[in-house]
Amino acid sequence: MTAITFEVPKQVTDEMMVLLLSADPDEQMIESYIHRAEIRVAKSADQIVGVICTLTTRPLTVEIVNLAVRDDYQNHGIGAQLINEVIQHCRAEKVTTLAIGTGSTSFGPLYLYQKLGFRMVGVDRDFFVRHYSRPIEENGLVLRDMIRLELNLK
């Protein structure tokens, strides 16, 4: 595998949107935040292999609202590298809390976030039922609840 580089793109490309939709299957939901989000991409040999979107949600708090890695690049540490890029940026900007929410059936991401030091702070019951027009199935289960996690950056 070639070296991974990180960039802040000037605009959202179709290639990026395909990746974003792999993590969040509702285009309207993505459109609700994408133009306010700060985006970083991971590239390998000039191809986008991962993307992460963040929003400032409260003073000194940034939330990761989308994180996606191309299927053929998963399980190679790229998601962790993208999160670490955001952590470094947040610390430089004096952000004290990095938040993320993920599906209760997203076992791989839940493991990754906790491995990186995120702690569970709550459950948003029926989040995916209230905010998505169609049911989402993941790991053989219907996704209903969002697990909220935070990383203290102080």
Side-chain angles (χ1 to χ4, degrees), residues 10-66:
K10 294 183 183 358
Q11 63 186 29
V12 177
T13 65
D14 290 342
E15 183 181 18
M16 290 166 56
M17 187 56 88
V18 168
L19 264 178
L20 293 169
L21 284 165
S22 73
D24 185 343
D26 190 319
E27 193 166 348
Q28 286 182 327
M29 185 67 84
I30 293 171
E31 286 295 330
S32 75
Y33 61 74
I34 196 68
H35 302 291
R36 300 177 290 126
E38 186 168 311
I39 303 168
R40 285 180 171 66
V41 295
K43 291 180 125 183
S44 175
D46 289 330
Q47 289 187 353
I48 294 174
V49 297
V51 63
I52 192 166
C53 301
T54 59
L55 286 175
T56 299
T57 55
R58 296 185 306 273
L60 304 177
T61 300
V62 167
E63 181 175 352
I64 298 170
V65 293
N66 196 312

Short mmCIF file of all heavy atoms in Angstrom, two decimals, residues 10-66:
data_model
loop_
_atom_site.label_atom_id
_atom_site.label_comp_id
_atom_site.label_asym_id
_atom_site.label_seq_id
_atom_site.Cartn_x
_atom_site.Cartn_y
_atom_site.Cartn_z
N LYS A 10 -11.03 21.83 -1.98
CA LYS A 10 -11.72 23.11 -2.20
C LYS A 10 -13.22 22.93 -2.42
O LYS A 10 -14.00 23.83 -2.18
CB LYS A 10 -11.11 23.84 -3.39
CG LYS A 10 -9.67 24.28 -3.15
CD LYS A 10 -9.13 25.07 -4.32
CE LYS A 10 -7.71 25.50 -4.25
NZ LYS A 10 -6.92 25.24 -3.11
N GLN A 11 -13.62 21.76 -2.91
CA GLN A 11 -15.04 21.50 -3.15
C GLN A 11 -15.32 20.01 -2.99
O GLN A 11 -14.41 19.19 -3.00
CB GLN A 11 -15.45 21.96 -4.53
CG GLN A 11 -14.74 21.23 -5.66
CD GLN A 11 -15.07 21.83 -7.01
OE1 GLN A 11 -15.35 23.02 -7.11
NE2 GLN A 11 -15.04 21.01 -8.04
N VAL A 12 -16.61 19.68 -2.85
CA VAL A 12 -17.02 18.28 -2.73
C VAL A 12 -17.17 17.72 -4.13
O VAL A 12 -17.92 18.26 -4.95
CB VAL A 12 -18.35 18.17 -1.96
CG1 VAL A 12 -18.81 16.72 -1.89
CG2 VAL A 12 -18.21 18.75 -0.56
N THR A 13 -16.44 16.65 -4.41
CA THR A 13 -16.50 16.02 -5.73
C THR A 13 -17.48 14.85 -5.70
O THR A 13 -17.88 14.37 -4.62
CB THR A 13 -15.11 15.50 -6.14
OG1 THR A 13 -14.74 14.46 -5.21
CG2 THR A 13 -14.07 16.61 -6.14
N ASP A 14 -17.83 14.35 -6.87
CA ASP A 14 -18.69 13.17 -6.96
C ASP A 14 -18.04 11.98 -6.27
O ASP A 14 -18.71 11.21 -5.59
CB ASP A 14 -18.98 12.83 -8.43
CG ASP A 14 -19.88 13.85 -9.11
OD1 ASP A 14 -20.55 14.63 -8.40
OD2 ASP A 14 -19.91 13.86 -10.36
N GLU A 15 -16.73 11.85 -6.43
CA GLU A 15 -15.98 10.77 -5.80
C GLU A 15 -16.12 10.83 -4.27
O GLU A 15 -16.32 9.82 -3.60
CB GLU A 15 -14.52 10.89 -6.22
CG GLU A 15 -13.62 9.81 -5.73
CD GLU A 15 -12.17 10.02 -6.17
OE1 GLU A 15 -11.79 11.15 -6.57
OE2 GLU A 15 -11.41 9.05 -6.09
N MET A 16 -16.05 12.04 -3.73
CA MET A 16 -16.20 12.22 -2.29
C MET A 16 -17.64 11.91 -1.87
O MET A 16 -17.86 11.28 -0.83
CB MET A 16 -15.83 13.65 -1.89
CG MET A 16 -14.35 13.92 -2.01
SD MET A 16 -13.92 15.68 -1.93
CE MET A 16 -14.64 16.17 -0.39
N MET A 17 -18.62 12.34 -2.67
CA MET A 17 -20.02 12.12 -2.32
C MET A 17 -20.34 10.62 -2.28
O MET A 17 -21.07 10.16 -1.39
CB MET A 17 -20.94 12.84 -3.30
CG MET A 17 -22.39 12.78 -2.89
SD MET A 17 -22.74 13.42 -1.23
CE MET A 17 -22.99 15.14 -1.59
N VAL A 18 -19.77 9.85 -3.19
CA VAL A 18 -19.97 8.39 -3.17
C VAL A 18 -19.47 7.82 -1.83
O VAL A 18 -20.15 7.00 -1.20
CB VAL A 18 -19.27 7.71 -4.37
CG1 VAL A 18 -19.21 6.20 -4.20
CG2 VAL A 18 -19.99 8.08 -5.66
N LEU A 19 -18.30 8.27 -1.40
CA LEU A 19 -17.76 7.81 -0.12
C LEU A 19 -18.65 8.25 1.04
O LEU A 19 -18.95 7.45 1.93
CB LEU A 19 -16.36 8.36 0.08
CG LEU A 19 -15.20 7.47 -0.31
CD1 LEU A 19 -13.88 8.18 -0.10
CD2 LEU A 19 -15.22 6.16 0.42
N LEU A 20 -19.05 9.50 1.04
CA LEU A 20 -19.90 10.01 2.12
C LEU A 20 -21.19 9.21 2.22
O LEU A 20 -21.66 8.89 3.31
CB LEU A 20 -20.20 11.50 1.91
CG LEU A 20 -19.00 12.44 2.02
CD1 LEU A 20 -19.36 13.83 1.53
CD2 LEU A 20 -18.46 12.48 3.43
N LEU A 21 -21.77 8.87 1.07
CA LEU A 21 -23.01 8.10 1.05
C LEU A 21 -22.80 6.67 1.56
O LEU A 21 -23.75 6.05 2.05
CB LEU A 21 -23.61 8.07 -0.35
CG LEU A 21 -24.31 9.36 -0.77
CD1 LEU A 21 -24.55 9.38 -2.28
CD2 LEU A 21 -25.63 9.54 -0.01
N SER A 22 -21.58 6.16 1.47
CA SER A 22 -21.33 4.82 2.01
C SER A 22 -21.41 4.81 3.53
O SER A 22 -21.70 3.78 4.13
CB SER A 22 -19.97 4.29 1.52
OG SER A 22 -18.90 4.95 2.18
N ALA A 23 -21.18 5.94 4.15
CA ALA A 23 -21.26 6.05 5.61
C ALA A 23 -22.60 6.59 6.08
O ALA A 23 -23.03 6.31 7.20
CB ALA A 23 -20.14 6.95 6.14
N ASP A 24 -23.25 7.36 5.24
CA ASP A 24 -24.56 7.96 5.56
C ASP A 24 -25.41 7.85 4.30
O ASP A 24 -25.24 8.64 3.38
CB ASP A 24 -24.38 9.42 5.97
CG ASP A 24 -25.67 10.06 6.43
OD1 ASP A 24 -26.76 9.52 6.15
OD2 ASP A 24 -25.60 11.14 7.06
N PRO A 25 -26.33 6.87 4.25
CA PRO A 25 -27.04 6.59 3.00
C PRO A 25 -28.12 7.60 2.60
O PRO A 25 -28.79 7.40 1.60
CB PRO A 25 -27.67 5.22 3.26
CG PRO A 25 -27.86 5.17 4.74
CD PRO A 25 -26.70 5.95 5.31
N ASP A 26 -28.27 8.69 3.33
CA ASP A 26 -29.31 9.67 3.04
C ASP A 26 -28.69 10.95 2.48
O ASP A 26 -28.09 11.73 3.22
CB ASP A 26 -30.11 9.97 4.31
CG ASP A 26 -31.36 10.80 4.04
OD1 ASP A 26 -31.29 11.75 3.23
OD2 ASP A 26 -32.39 10.49 4.65
N GLU A 27 -28.84 11.16 1.17
CA GLU A 27 -28.23 12.33 0.53
C GLU A 27 -28.75 13.64 1.12
O GLU A 27 -27.99 14.60 1.25
CB GLU A 27 -28.47 12.28 -0.98
CG GLU A 27 -27.61 13.25 -1.73
CD GLU A 27 -27.58 13.01 -3.23
OE1 GLU A 27 -28.05 11.95 -3.68
OE2 GLU A 27 -27.07 13.88 -3.94
N GLN A 28 -30.03 13.69 1.50
CA GLN A 28 -30.57 14.92 2.10
C GLN A 28 -29.89 15.22 3.42
O GLN A 28 -29.63 16.37 3.74
CB GLN A 28 -32.08 14.80 2.29
CG GLN A 28 -32.85 14.93 1.00
CD GLN A 28 -34.35 14.87 1.25
OE1 GLN A 28 -34.82 14.19 2.16
NE2 GLN A 28 -35.09 15.59 0.43
N MET A 29 -29.59 14.19 4.19
CA MET A 29 -28.91 14.39 5.47
C MET A 29 -27.52 14.96 5.21
O MET A 29 -27.10 15.90 5.87
CB MET A 29 -28.82 13.06 6.24
CG MET A 29 -28.25 13.21 7.62
SD MET A 29 -29.29 14.15 8.77
CE MET A 29 -30.38 12.89 9.33
N ILE A 30 -26.80 14.40 4.24
CA ILE A 30 -25.47 14.91 3.91
C ILE A 30 -25.55 16.35 3.44
O ILE A 30 -24.76 17.20 3.86
CB ILE A 30 -24.79 14.01 2.85
CG1 ILE A 30 -24.49 12.64 3.45
CG2 ILE A 30 -23.50 14.66 2.33
CD1 ILE A 30 -24.03 11.60 2.44
N GLU A 31 -26.52 16.66 2.60
CA GLU A 31 -26.69 18.03 2.10
C GLU A 31 -26.98 19.01 3.24
O GLU A 31 -26.64 20.19 3.15
CB GLU A 31 -27.82 18.10 1.06
CG GLU A 31 -27.46 17.50 -0.28
CD GLU A 31 -26.35 18.26 -1.01
OE1 GLU A 31 -26.22 19.48 -0.85
OE2 GLU A 31 -25.61 17.59 -1.76
N SER A 32 -27.55 18.52 4.34
CA SER A 32 -27.87 19.41 5.46
C SER A 32 -26.62 19.90 6.19
O SER A 32 -26.67 20.90 6.89
CB SER A 32 -28.83 18.72 6.44
OG SER A 32 -28.15 17.75 7.22
N TYR A 33 -25.50 19.18 6.04
CA TYR A 33 -24.29 19.60 6.75
C TYR A 33 -23.06 19.82 5.87
O TYR A 33 -22.14 20.50 6.28
CB TYR A 33 -23.94 18.62 7.88
CG TYR A 33 -23.65 17.20 7.47
CD1 TYR A 33 -22.46 16.84 6.84
CD2 TYR A 33 -24.56 16.18 7.75
CE1 TYR A 33 -22.19 15.53 6.48
CE2 TYR A 33 -24.30 14.86 7.40
CZ TYR A 33 -23.12 14.55 6.76
OH TYR A 33 -22.86 13.25 6.41
N ILE A 34 -23.05 19.30 4.69
CA ILE A 34 -21.82 19.27 3.90
C ILE A 34 -21.26 20.67 3.58
O ILE A 34 -20.05 20.87 3.55
CB ILE A 34 -22.00 18.43 2.61
CG1 ILE A 34 -20.64 18.08 2.00
CG2 ILE A 34 -22.86 19.16 1.59
CD1 ILE A 34 -19.84 17.14 2.80
N HIS A 35 -22.13 21.63 3.37
CA HIS A 35 -21.65 22.97 2.98
C HIS A 35 -21.19 23.79 4.19
O HIS A 35 -20.59 24.85 4.01
CB HIS A 35 -22.72 23.69 2.17
CG HIS A 35 -23.09 22.91 0.94
ND1 HIS A 35 -22.22 22.74 -0.11
CD2 HIS A 35 -24.21 22.22 0.62
CE1 HIS A 35 -22.79 21.98 -1.04
NE2 HIS A 35 -24.00 21.65 -0.62
N ARG A 36 -21.44 23.29 5.40
CA ARG A 36 -20.96 23.95 6.62
C ARG A 36 -19.78 23.21 7.23
O ARG A 36 -19.16 23.69 8.16
CB ARG A 36 -22.08 24.00 7.67
CG ARG A 36 -23.32 24.73 7.24
CD ARG A 36 -24.42 24.67 8.31
NE ARG A 36 -24.99 23.33 8.44
CZ ARG A 36 -25.07 22.64 9.57
NH1 ARG A 36 -24.64 23.13 10.70
NH2 ARG A 36 -25.61 21.44 9.59
N ALA A 37 -19.51 22.03 6.70
CA ALA A 37 -18.50 21.15 7.30
C ALA A 37 -17.10 21.49 6.83
O ALA A 37 -16.90 22.02 5.74
CB ALA A 37 -18.83 19.70 6.96
N GLU A 38 -16.14 21.15 7.67
CA GLU A 38 -14.74 21.17 7.27
C GLU A 38 -14.41 19.74 6.85
O GLU A 38 -14.69 18.79 7.58
CB GLU A 38 -13.86 21.61 8.44
CG GLU A 38 -12.42 21.78 8.03
CD GLU A 38 -11.61 22.49 9.11
OE1 GLU A 38 -12.05 23.54 9.61
OE2 GLU A 38 -10.54 21.95 9.44
N ILE A 39 -13.84 19.60 5.67
CA ILE A 39 -13.63 18.28 5.09
C ILE A 39 -12.13 18.03 4.89
O ILE A 39 -11.41 18.93 4.47
CB ILE A 39 -14.36 18.16 3.73
CG1 ILE A 39 -15.85 18.44 3.92
CG2 ILE A 39 -14.13 16.80 3.09
CD1 ILE A 39 -16.61 18.62 2.64
N ARG A 40 -11.73 16.81 5.17
CA ARG A 40 -10.37 16.36 4.87
C ARG A 40 -10.49 15.05 4.11
O ARG A 40 -11.38 14.24 4.40
CB ARG A 40 -9.59 16.11 6.16
CG ARG A 40 -9.15 17.37 6.84
CD ARG A 40 -8.37 17.04 8.12
NE ARG A 40 -7.76 18.23 8.65
CZ ARG A 40 -8.42 19.28 9.14
NH1 ARG A 40 -9.73 19.28 9.15
NH2 ARG A 40 -7.78 20.33 9.61
N VAL A 41 -9.59 14.84 3.17
CA VAL A 41 -9.56 13.58 2.44
C VAL A 41 -8.21 12.90 2.65
O VAL A 41 -7.19 13.56 2.84
CB VAL A 41 -9.84 13.75 0.93
CG1 VAL A 41 -11.26 14.27 0.70
CG2 VAL A 41 -8.83 14.65 0.26
N ALA A 42 -8.24 11.58 2.60
CA ALA A 42 -7.03 10.77 2.59
C ALA A 42 -6.83 10.32 1.16
O ALA A 42 -7.78 9.88 0.50
CB ALA A 42 -7.19 9.56 3.51
N LYS A 43 -5.60 10.47 0.67
CA LYS A 43 -5.30 10.09 -0.71
C LYS A 43 -4.17 9.08 -0.75
O LYS A 43 -3.24 9.15 0.05
CB LYS A 43 -4.91 11.32 -1.54
CG LYS A 43 -6.05 12.27 -1.79
CD LYS A 43 -5.60 13.44 -2.60
CE LYS A 43 -6.49 13.55 -3.83
NZ LYS A 43 -6.04 14.65 -4.70
N SER A 44 -4.27 8.19 -1.70
CA SER A 44 -3.21 7.23 -1.99
C SER A 44 -3.00 7.29 -3.50
O SER A 44 -3.94 7.05 -4.27
CB SER A 44 -3.62 5.82 -1.57
OG SER A 44 -2.64 4.89 -1.97
N ALA A 45 -1.80 7.65 -3.91
CA ALA A 45 -1.47 7.76 -5.35
C ALA A 45 -2.51 8.63 -6.08
O ALA A 45 -3.05 8.25 -7.10
CB ALA A 45 -1.37 6.38 -5.98
N ASP A 46 -2.80 9.78 -5.51
CA ASP A 46 -3.74 10.76 -6.08
C ASP A 46 -5.19 10.30 -6.18
O ASP A 46 -6.00 10.93 -6.82
CB ASP A 46 -3.26 11.25 -7.45
CG ASP A 46 -2.03 12.15 -7.33
OD1 ASP A 46 -1.91 12.83 -6.28
OD2 ASP A 46 -1.21 12.16 -8.26
N GLN A 47 -5.53 9.20 -5.53
CA GLN A 47 -6.92 8.75 -5.47
C GLN A 47 -7.44 8.97 -4.06
O GLN A 47 -6.75 8.67 -3.08
CB GLN A 47 -7.04 7.27 -5.81
CG GLN A 47 -6.80 6.93 -7.24
CD GLN A 47 -7.11 5.46 -7.49
OE1 GLN A 47 -7.38 4.69 -6.58
NE2 GLN A 47 -7.07 5.07 -8.76
N ILE A 48 -8.67 9.47 -3.96
CA ILE A 48 -9.29 9.65 -2.65
C ILE A 48 -9.69 8.27 -2.12
O ILE A 48 -10.41 7.53 -2.78
CB ILE A 48 -10.51 10.58 -2.73
CG1 ILE A 48 -10.05 12.00 -3.12
CG2 ILE A 48 -11.26 10.60 -1.40
CD1 ILE A 48 -11.19 12.97 -3.37
N VAL A 49 -9.18 7.95 -0.93
CA VAL A 49 -9.48 6.65 -0.32
C VAL A 49 -10.26 6.80 1.00
O VAL A 49 -10.74 5.81 1.54
CB VAL A 49 -8.21 5.81 -0.12
CG1 VAL A 49 -7.56 5.50 -1.46
CG2 VAL A 49 -7.23 6.50 0.82
N GLY A 50 -10.37 8.02 1.48
CA GLY A 50 -11.11 8.26 2.71
C GLY A 50 -11.50 9.72 2.83
O GLY A 50 -10.88 10.59 2.21
N VAL A 51 -12.55 9.97 3.61
CA VAL A 51 -13.02 11.34 3.81
C VAL A 51 -13.57 11.46 5.23
O VAL A 51 -14.13 10.50 5.77
CB VAL A 51 -14.08 11.73 2.75
CG1 VAL A 51 -15.32 10.85 2.85
CG2 VAL A 51 -14.46 13.19 2.85
N ILE A 52 -13.37 12.64 5.83
CA ILE A 52 -13.91 12.92 7.15
C ILE A 52 -14.47 14.34 7.14
O ILE A 52 -13.86 15.25 6.58
CB ILE A 52 -12.83 12.72 8.25
CG1 ILE A 52 -13.45 12.74 9.65
CG2 ILE A 52 -11.70 13.72 8.11
CD1 ILE A 52 -12.51 12.22 10.73
N CYS A 53 -15.65 14.51 7.73
CA CYS A 53 -16.30 15.83 7.80
C CYS A 53 -16.55 16.18 9.26
O CYS A 53 -17.01 15.34 10.03
CB CYS A 53 -17.67 15.79 7.11
SG CYS A 53 -17.64 15.34 5.40
N THR A 54 -16.23 17.42 9.61
CA THR A 54 -16.43 17.89 10.97
C THR A 54 -17.22 19.19 10.98
O THR A 54 -17.16 19.97 10.04
CB THR A 54 -15.10 18.10 11.70
OG1 THR A 54 -14.32 19.06 11.00
CG2 THR A 54 -14.32 16.81 11.82
N LEU A 55 -17.93 19.40 12.07
CA LEU A 55 -18.67 20.65 12.30
C LEU A 55 -18.40 21.13 13.71
O LEU A 55 -18.34 20.31 14.64
CB LEU A 55 -20.19 20.41 12.20
CG LEU A 55 -20.83 20.21 10.86
CD1 LEU A 55 -22.30 19.88 11.05
CD2 LEU A 55 -20.68 21.45 10.00
N THR A 56 -18.29 22.43 13.88
CA THR A 56 -18.27 23.00 15.23
C THR A 56 -19.72 23.02 15.69
O THR A 56 -20.57 23.64 15.06
CB THR A 56 -17.66 24.41 15.22
OG1 THR A 56 -16.32 24.31 14.73
CG2 THR A 56 -17.66 25.02 16.60
N THR A 57 -20.02 22.31 16.77
CA THR A 57 -21.40 22.19 17.24
C THR A 57 -21.70 23.04 18.46
O THR A 57 -22.85 23.40 18.69
CB THR A 57 -21.74 20.72 17.55
OG1 THR A 57 -20.78 20.21 18.48
CG2 THR A 57 -21.71 19.88 16.27
N ARG A 58 -20.67 23.30 19.26
CA ARG A 58 -20.80 24.16 20.45
C ARG A 58 -19.45 24.83 20.62
O ARG A 58 -18.46 24.40 20.04
CB ARG A 58 -21.12 23.32 21.70
CG ARG A 58 -22.45 22.60 21.65
CD ARG A 58 -22.78 21.88 22.96
NE ARG A 58 -21.78 20.94 23.45
CZ ARG A 58 -21.69 19.67 23.11
NH1 ARG A 58 -22.52 19.16 22.24
NH2 ARG A 58 -20.76 18.89 23.64
N PRO A 59 -19.38 25.87 21.44
CA PRO A 59 -18.07 26.47 21.68
C PRO A 59 -17.08 25.40 22.17
O PRO A 59 -17.41 24.59 23.04
CB PRO A 59 -18.35 27.51 22.77
CG PRO A 59 -19.79 27.84 22.60
CD PRO A 59 -20.45 26.56 22.15
N LEU A 60 -15.92 25.36 21.54
CA LEU A 60 -14.83 24.45 21.89
C LEU A 60 -15.15 22.98 21.66
O LEU A 60 -14.45 22.09 22.15
CB LEU A 60 -14.37 24.66 23.33
CG LEU A 60 -13.95 26.09 23.69
CD1 LEU A 60 -13.58 26.18 25.16
CD2 LEU A 60 -12.80 26.56 22.81
N THR A 61 -16.23 22.69 20.90
CA THR A 61 -16.60 21.32 20.58
C THR A 61 -16.75 21.15 19.09
O THR A 61 -17.45 21.92 18.42
CB THR A 61 -17.93 20.92 21.27
OG1 THR A 61 -17.76 21.04 22.68
CG2 THR A 61 -18.34 19.51 20.93
N VAL A 62 -16.09 20.13 18.56
CA VAL A 62 -16.19 19.77 17.15
C VAL A 62 -16.76 18.36 17.09
O VAL A 62 -16.40 17.51 17.90
CB VAL A 62 -14.81 19.85 16.46
CG1 VAL A 62 -14.83 19.19 15.10
CG2 VAL A 62 -14.37 21.31 16.34
N GLU A 63 -17.65 18.12 16.13
CA GLU A 63 -18.22 16.79 15.95
C GLU A 63 -17.83 16.23 14.59
O GLU A 63 -17.93 16.93 13.57
CB GLU A 63 -19.74 16.82 16.07
CG GLU A 63 -20.35 15.43 15.91
CD GLU A 63 -21.85 15.38 16.15
OE1 GLU A 63 -22.42 16.39 16.60
OE2 GLU A 63 -22.43 14.33 15.88
N ILE A 64 -17.40 14.99 14.57
CA ILE A 64 -17.21 14.27 13.32
C ILE A 64 -18.59 13.82 12.87
O ILE A 64 -19.25 13.06 13.57
CB ILE A 64 -16.27 13.06 13.51
CG1 ILE A 64 -14.88 13.51 13.96
CG2 ILE A 64 -16.20 12.23 12.22
CD1 ILE A 64 -13.96 12.38 14.41
N VAL A 65 -19.04 14.34 11.72
CA VAL A 65 -20.39 14.02 11.25
C VAL A 65 -20.39 12.99 10.13
O VAL A 65 -21.45 12.45 9.79
CB VAL A 65 -21.16 15.29 10.82
CG1 VAL A 65 -21.44 16.17 12.03
CG2 VAL A 65 -20.42 16.06 9.75
N ASN A 66 -19.23 12.70 9.55
CA ASN A 66 -19.15 11.65 8.54
C ASN A 66 -17.69 11.21 8.44
O ASN A 66 -16.78 12.03 8.44
CB ASN A 66 -19.64 12.16 7.18
CG ASN A 66 -19.94 11.03 6.21
OD1 ASN A 66 -19.16 10.11 6.03
ND2 ASN A 66 -21.09 11.12 5.55
#
